[in-house]
């Protein structure tokens, strides 16, 4: 579970920003959403779009890596 220790002379906004980054890195929100029973159509489309983008970036990376060897 993510948690932070507030530093001296640190504002609430800065501490909250650090906490949100840590939550995003640990995928707390996405795991919570994936464990829900019902997944709406918009969420499914959003996931498909994200996966397609990742797949395209991976292919582009592999292609550039292959071309650099030639």
């Amino acid at each position: 579970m993510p948690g932070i220790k507030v530093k001296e002379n640190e504002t609430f906004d800065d501490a909250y920003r650090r906490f949100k980054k840590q939550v995003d890195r640990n995928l707390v929100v996405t795991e919570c959403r994936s464990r829900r029973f019902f997944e709406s159509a918009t969420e499914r489309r959003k996931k498909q779009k994200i996966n397609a983008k990742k797949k395209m970036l991976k292919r582009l990376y592999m292609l550039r890596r292959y071309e650099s060897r030639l």
Side-chain angles (χ1 to χ4, degrees), residues 38-68:
F38 180 74
E39 188 177 62
S40 65
T42 55
E43 287 180 16
R44 272 187 261 131
R45 282 195 302 266
K46 194 179 223 182
K47 281 184 181 179
Q48 287 176 348
K49 192 181 244 187
I50 290 170
N51 288 339
K53 189 174 182 180
K54 283 182 183 178
K55 189 175 182 179
M56 183 62 69
L57 288 173
K58 184 177 178 181
R59 284 186 179 176
L60 185 63
Y61 170 75
M62 295 301 285
L63 181 66
R64 286 183 178 167
R65 190 171 164 205
Y66 174 74
E67 287 177 349
S68 68

Side-chain angles (χ1 to χ4, degrees), residues 5-69:
K5 291 184 180 179
V6 180
K7 299 174 185 173
E8 275 189 46
N9 301 327
E10 185 177 28
T11 63
F12 173 77
D13 294 330
D14 293 336
Y16 182 61
R17 193 174 299 120
R18 282 196 308 128
F19 177 73
K20 282 193 335 184
K21 280 184 183 180
Q22 195 171 21
V23 167
D24 287 342
R25 286 186 190 128
N26 290 333
L27 303 174
V28 173
V29 177
T30 54
E31 184 177 343
C32 179
R33 285 184 183 154
S34 69
R35 291 177 185 264
R36 287 192 307 190
F37 178 75
F38 180 74
E39 188 177 62
S40 65
T42 55
E43 287 180 16
R44 272 187 261 131
R45 282 195 302 266
K46 194 179 223 182
K47 281 184 181 179
Q48 287 176 348
K49 192 181 244 187
I50 290 170
N51 288 339
K53 189 174 182 180
K54 283 182 183 178
K55 189 175 182 179
M56 183 62 69
L57 288 173
K58 184 177 178 181
R59 284 186 179 176
L60 185 63
Y61 170 75
M62 295 301 285
L63 181 66
R64 286 183 178 167
R65 190 171 164 205
Y66 174 74
E67 287 177 349
S68 68
R69 290 184 179 182

